[in-house]
Amino acid sequence: ALWSLMMSLTPSRGCLLDLPWEDILVPHILCHLPLQQLLSLQRVSKSFQSLIQLYLANMRCFDSSQIGPAIPRAAFVNLLKDNEVLQQLVLQNCSDWLTDRELLPVIGQNHHLHHVQLKGCAQLSRHALVAISLSCPNLRRLSLAHCEWVDSLSLRSLADHCKALEAVDLTACRQLKDEAICYLVQKCSRLKSLSLAVNANVGDVAVEEIAKCCPELEHLDLTGCLRVKNDSIRVLAEYCPKLRSLKVKHCHNVAESSLSILRSRGVELDVEPPLQRALVLLQDVVGFAPFINLQI
């Protein structure tokens, strides 16, 4: 309905564009329209084009999914060329078109970013993470999942300059080893959420350092970290009283003997107790379910 109203109020009627742009139209009307529709609105007239350019320059959040999976490189650059006030930048799965050349100017002119999402942006390089660390001192949330270009040197730069980090997703950043993770958590002790999933190089040394350095930790994802063992899980239970969820699926060296401590505290785990797993397997076999139910 709002979109229909916008399209019906053309400049010739002297209504919509007579309203204060920066005080009314941008913060109270345009913000309720999908970005893709706003871009279409530019074609109505030159006045509307100027209005949308003003909106883009004052946008606090940019999410590429609102436009579509594939944005022409030139279009992305043009959309954000005048914006210096971004707080959230979400560029998930933009590997088909996003490179350092497009991203670095945006990062370089936006020093207020506190949330950056680059999941699956495979064509970037370590220079992108260095740029983020140098330009975004107030960064709190960062997703680099499936960005295999992240290395220990770029992660050290992040740790040195972004100490306010609260949530970091390093899923499948396979270059990273225990030493790099230890350096990160030593510098960023405010972390509440951390994912190191699908990284066979991460082991007990990193997990124990996470536990000792991050007392505010609430969520930890160690899915598929094959080198993690019981000892580090016990340290995690001892040092992280605020832990709410732990993922250890496919961590074959983590047993119930260490998980039971967390389970008794109500921590959400992604693996069931051994007895429960056995019952589920038996219930899958036709004929056993009634017997099991009776016994329970």
Side-chain angles (χ1 to χ4, degrees), residues 118-122 124 143-151 170-175:
L118 297 175
K119 179 181 178 182
C121 294
L124 298 174
S143 175
L144 300 168
H146 302 281
C147 294
E148 297 196 20
W149 44 265
V150 177
D151 62 9
L170 298 171
T171 298
C173 293
R174 295 186 176 92
Q175 289 195 58

Side-chain angles (χ1 to χ4, degrees), residues 102-250:
E102 291 78 42
L103 181 64
L104 264 57
V106 175
I107 296 297
Q109 66 191 33
N110 282 281
H111 305 293
H112 303 288
L113 281 165
H114 59 71
H115 179 190
V116 176
Q117 160 75 274
L118 297 175
K119 179 181 178 182
C121 294
Q123 288 196 60
L124 298 174
S125 77
R126 59 184 300 273
H127 299 295
L129 184 53
V130 173
I132 290 170
S133 66
L134 295 177
S135 296
C136 310
N138 300 315
L139 193 66
R140 295 199 300 271
R141 303 182 64 85
L142 176 64
S143 175
L144 300 168
H146 302 281
C147 294
E148 297 196 20
W149 44 265
V150 177
D151 62 9
S152 59
L153 288 176
S154 57
L155 194 69
R156 288 175 72 92
S157 179
L158 179 73
D160 285 336
H161 297 94
C162 299
K163 295 182 174 62
L165 279 167
E166 296 179 357
V168 180
D169 188 347
L170 298 171
T171 298
C173 293
R174 295 186 176 92
Q175 289 195 58
L176 301 178
K177 299 181 180 180
D178 283 348
E179 182 182 4
I181 303 303
C182 290
Y183 192 87
L184 174 69
V185 298
Q186 288 165 4
K187 297 285 186 175
C188 302
S189 58
R190 300 183 192 178
L191 281 175
K192 295 181 180 180
S193 177
L194 178 62
S195 175
L196 303 172
V198 199
N199 192 333
N201 293 317
V202 171
D204 284 344
V205 172
V207 176
E208 290 183 13
E209 197 67 16
I210 291 167
K212 294 174 182 178
C213 294
C214 303
E216 302 297 316
L217 192 68
E218 298 178 2
H219 307 284
L220 180 61
D221 190 346
L222 300 172
T223 303
C225 294
L226 304 178
R227 294 175 56 235
V228 174
K229 301 176 183 177
N230 284 322
D231 289 345
S232 62
I233 300 301
R234 293 192 183 98
V235 174
L236 196 67
E238 179 181 355
Y239 284 89
C240 296
K242 297 184 179 180
L243 193 67
R244 293 166 51 192
S245 71
L246 173 66
K247 295 183 179 181
V248 289
K249 189 172 288 186
H250 307 303

